[in-house]
Amino acid sequence: MGSNHIVPVLTTADDNSTRKGDGNSKLFGQRTLQHFEFDPNYRNLNHGSFGASTREIRKKLREYQDRAEARPDQFIRYEAPDILNENREAVAKLINAPTDTVVLVQNATTGVNTILRNLAWNDDCKDEILYFNTIYGACGKGIDYIVDSGLNRVSSREIRVMYPCEDDEIVTAFKAAVEDSSKAGKRAKICVFDTVSSLPAVRMPYEKITEACKVAGVLSLIDGAQGVGMIDIDLSAVDPDFFVSNCHKWLYVPRACAVLYVPLRHQALIASTLPTSHGYIAKSGERFNPLPKANKSAFVNNFQFIGTLDTSPYLCLKDTIEWRKEALGGEAKIMEYIHTLAKEGGKKVARVLGTEVLDNQSGTMSRCALTNVALPLSPEEGSQALEWMVEMMLKDYNTFFPLFAHNGRLWARLSAQVYLDTEDFEWAGHILLELVERVKRGEHKNT
């Protein structure tokens, strides 16, 4: 019923250089699959959801886990804190931020929740949280929880944007929301926005929104879940109030690891981790802390140990950054390849389907490693079929990528990665075309 998947064959650099669509790099494409541990019958076109780690780094992960098992107290109490600091320093350098402004958490959702739950909301009940309608669902629910549990002290305001649109339109929508908040007798306290949104997968003008927040006196919280390892991040230049980014997605760190940035000017606001643990400093006085290795910074020390967790992924950050440089040529080369592949691969899929890629006239929305391609289905045809289609991807075609509706159209989101090339995207286009034909035949109604 479905198309057969071509089992990847590891090639030499010379063999790989003859493949079409690999750009001018011999490092990437099918050859790079040897570093990852995918099932040979599975084609991963959805790196943007859960990421993937390399075989080499997973070996390092197990080394740290083995050290913890061999001598738990020695490693967890005395050795891991120093290794953790080395990794904080490595990722801080990568995002161009002072080391003492950077800590590690499990994922971007945890980071967003940590910031929102630490903020104090004014008793005059005027504070508002601004967010865009394309916010990641879990973070949107985090805002809902703050509103629902805030005893009417805080409300939220959605900023609606419909893609495609230009960057200035997005910034204008933010400014209009601040004005609307004020007209309603409210106060915009903080705005949550993405580096690259999830669905649709669009690069947002987060630098311009951050600047607009400063002008408006609104705190900026950047959700960079799709960020580090996929786009260049320079926090010293952008200077947001808060920033979080997953490292287990595009950077290849093992799951689960994210970097949380809080500049010195705001660290006093972040009193507790989630959950509260030994680093919390209570107003009533200090309690016994059984952990001997404390950091000089109260903020960093707060996040050093949050209960008993397997934090070995945190300890792989430095190793991963070094591996990316040694094996793949470093961040600039990786990003050049995956950005180009997303653009060219998206065009190939659109050509197969007879549709188009989601982008604006200036091309800024697509400056990332994710692409959205329109499906040749009407919203009415797809309303009952999208869930069936994604299930069939896994069952019949050994692949997966999200399908979704936006602005009156149905779309597929595909991820570009170093272990893929344009042939993979063309294959995905034919898979989608076959699924669309199956929907038009009504197969989804028979299950």
Side-chain angles (χ1 to χ4, degrees):
M1 180 181 293
S3 299
N4 292 325
H5 179 271
I6 300 173
V7 177
V9 178
L10 300 183
T11 62
T12 64
D14 289 338
D15 291 335
N16 191 53
S17 66
T18 64
R19 291 176 61 86
K20 294 181 180 179
D22 289 345
N24 55 10
S25 173
K26 297 180 181 180
L27 289 173
F28 306 122
Q30 191 181 37
R31 177 178 184 267
T32 313
L33 276 171
Q34 65 186 302
H35 296 296
F36 293 83
E37 297 184 302
F38 301 122
D39 183 325
N41 294 313
Y42 185 79
R43 217 181 277 219
N44 189 34
L45 289 156
N46 187 34
H47 191 102
S49 281
F50 303 115
S53 187
T54 65
R55 181 174 285 106
E56 292 84 351
I57 297 304
R58 289 180 61 78
K59 288 179 182 178
K60 295 296 296 185
L61 174 76
R62 288 188 284 271
E63 287 178 17
Y64 291 124
Q65 291 171 332
D66 289 346
R67 289 172 65 177
E69 293 302 315
R71 294 173 176 265
D73 284 288
Q74 177 176 321
F75 185 75
I76 294 172
R77 294 175 186 271
Y78 292 95
E79 296 175 16
D82 292 334
I83 303 172
L84 179 63
N85 285 336
E86 293 174 4
N87 283 273
R88 288 178 40 253
E89 183 177 4
V91 74
K93 183 177 180 181
L94 185 66
I95 60 178
N96 194 22
T99 302
D100 282 345
T101 64
V102 165
V103 291
L104 302 177
V105 294
Q106 290 179 292
N107 49 57
T109 303
T110 299
V112 169
N113 273 264
T114 299
I115 300 304
L116 292 178
R117 296 196 192 197
N118 273 282
L119 293 182
W121 309 103
N122 200 297
D123 290 333
D124 64 11
C125 303
K126 293 183 178 180
D127 286 337
E128 279 198 330
I129 304 170
L130 305 186
Y131 67 95
F132 288 84
N133 59 305
T134 53
I135 191 172
Y136 182 61
C139 294
K141 289 191 175 184
I143 293 174
D144 294 341
Y145 173 80
I146 296 296
V147 172
D148 292 345
S149 62
L151 301 176
N152 297 318
R153 287 185 302 159
V154 58
S155 56
S156 63
R157 183 175 297 272
E158 181 181 83
I159 307 170
R160 292 198 63 79
V161 291
M162 301 303 287
Y163 299 122
C165 62
E166 296 299 325
D167 290 352
D168 288 345
E169 295 178 70
I170 297 174
V171 177
T172 297
F174 162 77
K175 293 178 180 178
V178 174
E179 291 182 9
D180 290 344
S181 178
S182 179
K183 290 177 182 177
K186 298 290 186 176
R187 178 194 311 109
K189 183 180 179 73
I190 188 168
C191 183
V192 182
F193 52 95
D194 300 296
T195 49
V196 177
S197 57
S198 178
L199 296 173
V202 168
R203 177 166 176 151
M204 294 190 71
Y206 68 95
E207 304 96 331
K208 292 182 179 179
I209 301 173
T210 301
E211 183 59 33
C213 283
K214 293 176 184 177
V215 173
V218 177
L219 293 171
S220 54
L221 169 50
I222 302 178
D223 177 5
Q226 309 278 358
V228 174
M230 196 243 282
I231 61 173
D232 186 47
I233 304 291
D234 185 344
L235 294 187
S236 291
V238 179
D239 190 31
D241 293 299
F242 307 101
F243 172 87
V244 62
S245 181
N246 287 324
C247 299
H248 56 252
K249 288 196 179 188
W250 298 91
L251 198 62
Y252 314 149
V253 175
R255 307 178 195 96
C257 175
V259 55
L260 174 63
Y261 161 86
V262 179
L264 296 177
R265 65 181 182 270
H266 291 318
Q267 289 183 3
L269 300 177
I270 311 304
S272 176
T273 56
L274 293 180
T276 301
S277 192
H278 291 298
Y280 178 68
I281 301 175
K283 295 179 181 179
S284 59
E286 189 56 68
R287 294 181 185 271
F288 171 68
N289 185 343
L291 303 174
K293 283 238 173 182
N295 196 288
K296 293 180 180 179
S297 162
F299 169 72
V300 173
N301 190 59
N302 206 358
F303 287 83
Q304 185 167 277
F305 181 90
I306 308 175
T308 302
L309 298 170
D310 181 7
T311 56
S312 50
Y314 298 2
L315 309 184
C316 294
L317 260 167
K318 181 180 178 181
D319 297 319
T320 304
I321 294 169
E322 290 177 354
W323 183 88
R324 286 165 66 90
K325 182 178 181 180
E326 294 173 6
L328 301 180
E331 301 304 309
K333 288 187 177 180
I334 293 170
M335 291 180 196
E336 179 185 8
Y337 180 80
I338 60 178
H339 288 193
T340 301
L341 179 58
K343 280 185 177 292
E344 304 206 352
K347 291 176 183 177
K348 277 191 174 288
V349 176
R351 196 171 300 125
V352 171
L353 296 177
T355 61
E356 66 273 351
V357 173
L358 179 63
D359 204 356
N360 53 14
Q361 290 186 351
S362 58
T364 57
M365 287 171 41
S366 61
R367 290 190 296 114
C368 62
L370 290 157
T371 185
N372 313 276
V373 183
L375 299 179
L377 285 172
S378 69
E380 293 73 25
E381 290 175 308
S383 61
Q384 298 177 341
L386 290 190
E387 185 175 346
W388 177 86
M389 290 174 71
V390 295
E391 289 178 359
M392 291 305 103
M393 283 187 208
L394 289 169
K395 180 181 177 182
D396 293 345
Y397 303 97
N398 282 317
T399 193
F400 180 93
F401 37 89
L403 306 179
F404 62 96
H406 180 75
N407 200 9
R409 298 200 67 179
L410 304 179
W411 304 87
R413 187 195 82 177
L414 299 99
S415 304
Q417 227 349 303
V418 295
Y419 49 77
L420 300 171
D421 56 34
T422 53
E423 184 271 334
D424 293 293
F425 280 79
E426 188 166 11
W427 175 85
H430 287 289
I431 294 303
L432 283 169
L433 184 61
E434 187 170 320
L435 282 167
V436 166
E437 292 170 349
R438 291 173 65 180
V439 168
K440 290 183 179 293
R441 292 196 298 265
E443 287 188 35
H444 63 293
K445 298 177 182 179
N446 300 324
T447 57

